Amino acid sequence: MSKSFPGPKTKAVLERGIPLFRNGLRYAEESAKASRRGYRSVRQIVVDRAEGDFIWDMDGKRYIDFQNGWATNPVGNAHPEVIAAVHEAQKRFGFHYDHPLRYDLAEKLAEIMPGRALPRFNYEVSGTEAAEAAIHLALTYTQRRYIVTFSSCFHGESIGTKLASGYTSDSNRYLEAWTGGVIKAPYPYSADIPAGMSESQYVDYCLWYLDNHIPKCITPKDNIAAVLIEPGLAEGGNWIPSTEFLRGIRRLCDNNGWLMIADEVLTGMGRTGAMWAVDHYEVIPDILVVGKNLSGGIEPCAGIAAKDEILGDNLDFSSGSTFAGTPAGCAAGLKTLELYERYDLVNQAKRLGELAKEIIQAWEEFGIVQQVRCNGLLMGVGFKSPNPDEENWWYARSVRGRMLENGVWAISDHEDTIRMYPALNMDEQTLRDGLEIMREAIEYVDTHGQLEGDSPAWPTGVAGF
Ligand SMILES: Cc1ncc(COP(=O)(O)O)c(C=O)c1O
């Protein structure tokens, strides 16, 4: 394996980030410390070019793209038709808030919403803004004060969505005075089940917590406006909930007058091999949060879809900033949906997901693999350390590092999972090649132990990584 990864040009750009971006001070200090111990630099790259299933770093090295712009490029990198549609909208409108494309896209979205039951749409710029808008909509519509969210969920990086997220308590540090309206409930993972409980008992416990623990110990049921749930944890490690859980949430919402908000920013628009992840469960939420894929990988576009009565007449709800629903963003969304129809992309994602599942589920035989998770092209591999004094996530890091060195780009932040989000139209052979490189990386780390430089001596966060 090359000792000089990343290449010199990529490294030079990364080093320019040290005085500019967050954690730069820590990076310099930690790098110096680590290099004194003979460790290599953290495996990080900068994209010089992106096209279709691939990206290239500053040194011209090519990677199969499982990172997918953090799961925002459903039709592959820099799709020429989406780019052309965006340019055309920019030339015609520049930026104005009131333009016909926002009507065209809202009509299309109403047609594809679960059960066609969420016809009203409110544009937002990002998934974060959209998740926040959904919360405000629920509070104002029900005139109640609490939202229930879950452990390991991620809804964004604004103050409101940080407080609603449960994937790490670190991101709530120093925001303690801002909390109050969010109740965090346990999400039933398929691993890390409390000792002695079966998977199905754990699901029952999580539903019991909502139905009994919260009203007895935290707030009465009629104080709760909504349950905000990811129907597939994304940033929290690509966990896939059971049908029993999702339907149980719907039932509790119906019984108690709570709104069910599905945050489908990452799971939505085909990522799981269905248009919406809730479709797998035959559950229709009251509010659905959309983002990421709707941009077609080119221009941000996000928003919330809601039932008629919830968003049709609610003077207390306000949201939607200046750049919400730009002509370019709506043009990207419209062209993307046209490509979905033309190439039957949701079914293509389903087919590729099934193929990938068959390949990756065999990896549970490796000692360092804790669990393989796959719902369509929402794929995750969880890792475990064979040694009690080593963290699980070091192993995820090591495998991801070796994959990167061998030409596959996937996501693993400070987590014990590697997450993969191939484009919904990825070439089948490219997907197979990428997975084979990943398998080899797992085998390598399984045999040789974690790579040098993947212990906590190695910082993250420079250049937003
Ligand atoms: C489920 C979910 N909700 C909300 C967000 C925030 O979206 P954005 O980063 O576009 O603000 C994300 C981002 O990863 C997400 O995965």
Side-chain angles (χ1 to χ4, degrees), residues 22 50 90 94 96 115 121 127 155 158 161 178 206 239 247 258 269 292 309 338 393 447:
R22 71 191 165 102
Q90 284 168 331
H96 280 283
F121 200 76
H155 301 290
S158 63
T161 52
W178 299 70
C206 293
W239 297 89
R247 291 199 186 153
W258 305 340
M269 289 192 57
K292 293 203 187 256
E309 63 275 21
E338 187 188 318
W393 66 266
T447 311

mmCIF file of all heavy atoms in Angstrom, residues 22 50 90 94 96 115 121 127 155 158 161 178 206 239 247 258 269 292 309 338 393 447:
data_model
loop_
_atom_site.group_PDB
_atom_site.id
_atom_site.type_symbol
_atom_site.label_atom_id
_atom_site.label_comp_id
_atom_site.label_asym_id
_atom_site.label_seq_id
_atom_site.Cartn_x
_atom_site.Cartn_y
_atom_site.Cartn_z
ATOM 1 N N ARG A 22 -12.308 24.593 10.783
ATOM 2 C CA ARG A 22 -12.412 24.189 12.186
ATOM 3 C C ARG A 22 -11.446 23.035 12.507
ATOM 4 O O ARG A 22 -11.131 22.231 11.643
ATOM 5 C CB ARG A 22 -13.847 23.817 12.532
ATOM 6 C CG ARG A 22 -14.342 22.531 11.917
ATOM 7 C CD ARG A 22 -15.834 22.413 12.101
ATOM 8 N NE ARG A 22 -16.361 21.376 11.230
ATOM 9 C CZ ARG A 22 -16.679 20.166 11.641
ATOM 10 N NH1 ARG A 22 -16.528 19.829 12.896
ATOM 11 N NH2 ARG A 22 -17.152 19.275 10.790
ATOM 12 N N ALA A 50 -15.854 15.321 -10.642
ATOM 13 C CA ALA A 50 -16.854 14.282 -10.363
ATOM 14 C C ALA A 50 -17.651 14.018 -11.620
ATOM 15 O O ALA A 50 -18.062 14.956 -12.316
ATOM 16 C CB ALA A 50 -17.781 14.756 -9.245
ATOM 17 N N GLN A 90 -31.493 29.314 -14.346
ATOM 18 C CA GLN A 90 -30.714 30.468 -13.880
ATOM 19 C C GLN A 90 -30.707 31.576 -14.928
ATOM 20 O O GLN A 90 -30.841 32.752 -14.614
ATOM 21 C CB GLN A 90 -29.283 30.038 -13.543
ATOM 22 C CG GLN A 90 -29.214 29.296 -12.211
ATOM 23 C CD GLN A 90 -27.894 28.604 -11.973
ATOM 24 O OE1 GLN A 90 -27.216 28.197 -12.918
ATOM 25 N NE2 GLN A 90 -27.536 28.443 -10.716
ATOM 26 N N GLY A 94 -32.713 34.088 -13.084
ATOM 27 C CA GLY A 94 -31.776 34.528 -12.046
ATOM 28 C C GLY A 94 -32.300 33.980 -10.744
ATOM 29 O O GLY A 94 -32.658 32.812 -10.647
ATOM 30 N N HIS A 96 -35.516 34.650 -8.275
ATOM 31 C CA HIS A 96 -36.745 35.274 -7.790
ATOM 32 C C HIS A 96 -37.496 34.239 -7.006
ATOM 33 O O HIS A 96 -37.366 33.040 -7.242
ATOM 34 C CB HIS A 96 -37.612 35.799 -8.948
ATOM 35 C CG HIS A 96 -37.107 37.111 -9.440
ATOM 36 N ND1 HIS A 96 -37.335 38.291 -8.774
ATOM 37 C CD2 HIS A 96 -36.359 37.425 -10.522
ATOM 38 C CE1 HIS A 96 -36.732 39.280 -9.437
ATOM 39 N NE2 HIS A 96 -36.127 38.779 -10.489
ATOM 40 N N GLY A 115 -49.333 7.472 -0.532
ATOM 41 C CA GLY A 115 -50.795 7.444 -0.608
ATOM 42 C C GLY A 115 -51.387 8.702 -1.223
ATOM 43 O O GLY A 115 -52.583 8.944 -1.076
ATOM 44 N N PHE A 121 -47.081 21.548 0.102
ATOM 45 C CA PHE A 121 -45.619 21.572 0.199
ATOM 46 C C PHE A 121 -45.138 22.945 0.626
ATOM 47 O O PHE A 121 -45.684 23.965 0.212
ATOM 48 C CB PHE A 121 -45.002 21.214 -1.165
ATOM 49 C CG PHE A 121 -43.578 20.754 -1.054
ATOM 50 C CD1 PHE A 121 -43.282 19.478 -0.591
ATOM 51 C CD2 PHE A 121 -42.520 21.597 -1.385
ATOM 52 C CE1 PHE A 121 -41.967 19.046 -0.462
ATOM 53 C CE2 PHE A 121 -41.199 21.173 -1.263
ATOM 54 C CZ PHE A 121 -40.923 19.886 -0.810
ATOM 55 N N GLY A 127 -32.194 20.283 4.377
ATOM 56 C CA GLY A 127 -32.890 19.286 5.188
ATOM 57 C C GLY A 127 -33.035 19.773 6.625
ATOM 58 O O GLY A 127 -34.054 19.510 7.281
ATOM 59 N N HIS A 155 -31.161 15.101 12.671
ATOM 60 C CA HIS A 155 -32.088 15.931 11.903
ATOM 61 C C HIS A 155 -31.450 17.222 11.418
ATOM 62 O O HIS A 155 -32.142 18.028 10.778
ATOM 63 C CB HIS A 155 -33.341 16.239 12.726
ATOM 64 C CG HIS A 155 -34.077 15.003 13.162
ATOM 65 N ND1 HIS A 155 -34.753 14.203 12.280
ATOM 66 C CD2 HIS A 155 -34.199 14.409 14.381
ATOM 67 C CE1 HIS A 155 -35.284 13.169 12.933
ATOM 68 N NE2 HIS A 155 -34.946 13.268 14.201
ATOM 69 N N SER A 158 -28.743 22.890 12.896
ATOM 70 C CA SER A 158 -29.183 24.157 13.493
ATOM 71 C C SER A 158 -29.399 23.900 14.986
ATOM 72 O O SER A 158 -29.385 22.732 15.417
ATOM 73 C CB SER A 158 -30.503 24.596 12.863
ATOM 74 O OG SER A 158 -31.493 23.631 13.158
ATOM 75 N N THR A 161 -32.558 21.626 15.393
ATOM 76 C CA THR A 161 -32.401 20.222 14.972
ATOM 77 C C THR A 161 -31.290 19.512 15.760
ATOM 78 O O THR A 161 -31.333 18.298 15.927
ATOM 79 C CB THR A 161 -32.141 20.094 13.460
ATOM 80 O OG1 THR A 161 -31.065 20.945 13.103
ATOM 81 C CG2 THR A 161 -33.386 20.449 12.663
ATOM 82 N N TRP A 178 -31.252 25.730 26.123
ATOM 83 C CA TRP A 178 -32.180 25.848 25.008
ATOM 84 C C TRP A 178 -33.124 24.655 24.927
ATOM 85 O O TRP A 178 -34.052 24.655 24.135
ATOM 86 C CB TRP A 178 -31.411 25.950 23.679
ATOM 87 C CG TRP A 178 -30.523 27.144 23.613
ATOM 88 C CD1 TRP A 178 -29.393 27.364 24.312
ATOM 89 C CD2 TRP A 178 -30.711 28.304 22.786
ATOM 90 N NE1 TRP A 178 -28.850 28.574 23.989
ATOM 91 C CE2 TRP A 178 -29.637 29.171 23.038
ATOM 92 C CE3 TRP A 178 -31.668 28.676 21.837
ATOM 93 C CZ2 TRP A 178 -29.506 30.395 22.404
ATOM 94 C CZ3 TRP A 178 -31.520 29.892 21.197
ATOM 95 C CH2 TRP A 178 -30.464 30.733 21.483
ATOM 96 N N CYS A 206 -39.534 -0.202 23.480
ATOM 97 C CA CYS A 206 -39.445 1.158 22.936
ATOM 98 C C CYS A 206 -40.837 1.753 22.733
ATOM 99 O O CYS A 206 -41.062 2.941 22.988
ATOM 100 C CB CYS A 206 -38.639 1.164 21.634
ATOM 101 S SG CYS A 206 -36.909 0.761 21.923
ATOM 102 N N TRP A 239 -29.383 2.265 10.364
ATOM 103 C CA TRP A 239 -30.164 1.208 11.014
ATOM 104 C C TRP A 239 -31.534 1.153 10.372
ATOM 105 O O TRP A 239 -32.116 2.177 10.037
ATOM 106 C CB TRP A 239 -30.345 1.499 12.504
ATOM 107 C CG TRP A 239 -29.074 1.521 13.244
ATOM 108 C CD1 TRP A 239 -28.274 2.597 13.438
ATOM 109 C CD2 TRP A 239 -28.436 0.431 13.891
ATOM 110 N NE1 TRP A 239 -27.174 2.245 14.167
ATOM 111 C CE2 TRP A 239 -27.250 0.927 14.460
ATOM 112 C CE3 TRP A 239 -28.759 -0.915 14.057
ATOM 113 C CZ2 TRP A 239 -26.387 0.122 15.187
ATOM 114 C CZ3 TRP A 239 -27.906 -1.712 14.774
ATOM 115 C CH2 TRP A 239 -26.722 -1.190 15.335
ATOM 116 N N ARG A 247 -45.066 0.699 12.444
ATOM 117 C CA ARG A 247 -46.540 0.654 12.526
ATOM 118 C C ARG A 247 -47.011 0.972 13.952
ATOM 119 O O ARG A 247 -48.058 1.572 14.145
ATOM 120 C CB ARG A 247 -47.061 -0.706 12.072
ATOM 121 C CG ARG A 247 -46.862 -0.888 10.583
ATOM 122 C CD ARG A 247 -47.749 -1.981 10.040
ATOM 123 N NE ARG A 247 -47.445 -2.221 8.652
ATOM 124 C CZ ARG A 247 -47.631 -3.371 8.020
ATOM 125 N NH1 ARG A 247 -48.145 -4.401 8.665
ATOM 126 N NH2 ARG A 247 -47.337 -3.491 6.744
ATOM 127 N N TRP A 258 -51.218 12.522 18.218
ATOM 128 C CA TRP A 258 -49.866 13.006 17.892
ATOM 129 C C TRP A 258 -49.688 12.950 16.372
ATOM 130 O O TRP A 258 -50.211 12.031 15.720
ATOM 131 C CB TRP A 258 -48.773 12.099 18.503
ATOM 132 C CG TRP A 258 -48.882 11.886 19.980
ATOM 133 C CD1 TRP A 258 -49.548 12.653 20.895
ATOM 134 C CD2 TRP A 258 -48.300 10.797 20.723
ATOM 135 N NE1 TRP A 258 -49.417 12.119 22.156
ATOM 136 C CE2 TRP A 258 -48.654 10.982 22.086
ATOM 137 C CE3 TRP A 258 -47.516 9.704 20.392
ATOM 138 C CZ2 TRP A 258 -48.248 10.108 23.097
ATOM 139 C CZ3 TRP A 258 -47.114 8.822 21.396
ATOM 140 C CH2 TRP A 258 -47.466 9.023 22.732
ATOM 141 N N MET A 269 -36.920 9.456 -1.661
ATOM 142 C CA MET A 269 -36.698 9.495 -3.099
ATOM 143 C C MET A 269 -35.801 8.359 -3.597
ATOM 144 O O MET A 269 -34.778 8.572 -4.235
ATOM 145 C CB MET A 269 -36.155 10.857 -3.511
ATOM 146 C CG MET A 269 -37.248 11.923 -3.404
ATOM 147 S SD MET A 269 -36.833 13.482 -4.178
ATOM 148 C CE MET A 269 -36.477 13.018 -5.857
ATOM 149 N N LYS A 292 -31.934 16.366 0.289
ATOM 150 C CA LYS A 292 -30.877 15.623 -0.394
ATOM 151 C C LYS A 292 -31.171 15.254 -1.856
ATOM 152 O O LYS A 292 -30.918 16.050 -2.751
ATOM 153 C CB LYS A 292 -30.511 14.397 0.416
ATOM 154 C CG LYS A 292 -29.852 14.773 1.761
ATOM 155 C CD LYS A 292 -29.007 13.677 2.312
ATOM 156 C CE LYS A 292 -28.497 13.965 3.716
ATOM 157 N NZ LYS A 292 -27.102 14.351 3.788
ATOM 158 N N GLU A 309 -55.147 19.412 5.883
ATOM 159 C CA GLU A 309 -55.661 20.163 7.031
ATOM 160 C C GLU A 309 -54.534 20.721 7.897
ATOM 161 O O GLU A 309 -54.717 21.696 8.626
ATOM 162 C CB GLU A 309 -56.612 19.289 7.867
ATOM 163 C CG GLU A 309 -56.000 18.051 8.510
ATOM 164 C CD GLU A 309 -55.962 16.822 7.593
ATOM 165 O OE1 GLU A 309 -56.041 16.992 6.359
ATOM 166 O OE2 GLU A 309 -55.815 15.697 8.112
ATOM 167 N N GLU A 338 -38.000 13.654 -13.528
ATOM 168 C CA GLU A 338 -38.186 13.173 -14.912
ATOM 169 C C GLU A 338 -37.254 11.983 -15.179
ATOM 170 O O GLU A 338 -37.659 10.977 -15.775
ATOM 171 C CB GLU A 338 -37.873 14.336 -15.867
ATOM 172 C CG GLU A 338 -38.182 14.058 -17.319
ATOM 173 C CD GLU A 338 -37.658 15.183 -18.209
ATOM 174 O OE1 GLU A 338 -37.789 16.382 -17.860
ATOM 175 O OE2 GLU A 338 -37.067 14.847 -19.272
ATOM 176 N N TRP A 393 -14.970 1.969 16.558
ATOM 177 C CA TRP A 393 -14.908 2.864 15.393
ATOM 178 C C TRP A 393 -13.517 2.965 14.778
ATOM 179 O O TRP A 393 -13.376 3.322 13.617
ATOM 180 C CB TRP A 393 -15.517 4.238 15.701
ATOM 181 C CG TRP A 393 -14.797 5.097 16.711
ATOM 182 C CD1 TRP A 393 -15.061 5.157 18.040
ATOM 183 C CD2 TRP A 393 -13.748 6.031 16.469
ATOM 184 N NE1 TRP A 393 -14.232 6.070 18.650
ATOM 185 C CE2 TRP A 393 -13.418 6.628 17.708
ATOM 186 C CE3 TRP A 393 -13.041 6.440 15.336
ATOM 187 C CZ2 TRP A 393 -12.427 7.595 17.836
ATOM 188 C CZ3 TRP A 393 -12.053 7.404 15.465
ATOM 189 C CH2 TRP A 393 -11.751 7.966 16.708
ATOM 190 N N THR A 447 -7.373 -9.384 9.329
ATOM 191 C CA THR A 447 -6.154 -10.181 9.471
ATOM 192 C C THR A 447 -5.040 -9.405 10.167
ATOM 193 O O THR A 447 -4.337 -9.938 11.023
ATOM 194 C CB THR A 447 -5.642 -10.610 8.064
ATOM 195 O OG1 THR A 447 -6.736 -11.151 7.351
ATOM 196 C CG2 THR A 447 -4.527 -11.622 8.155
#
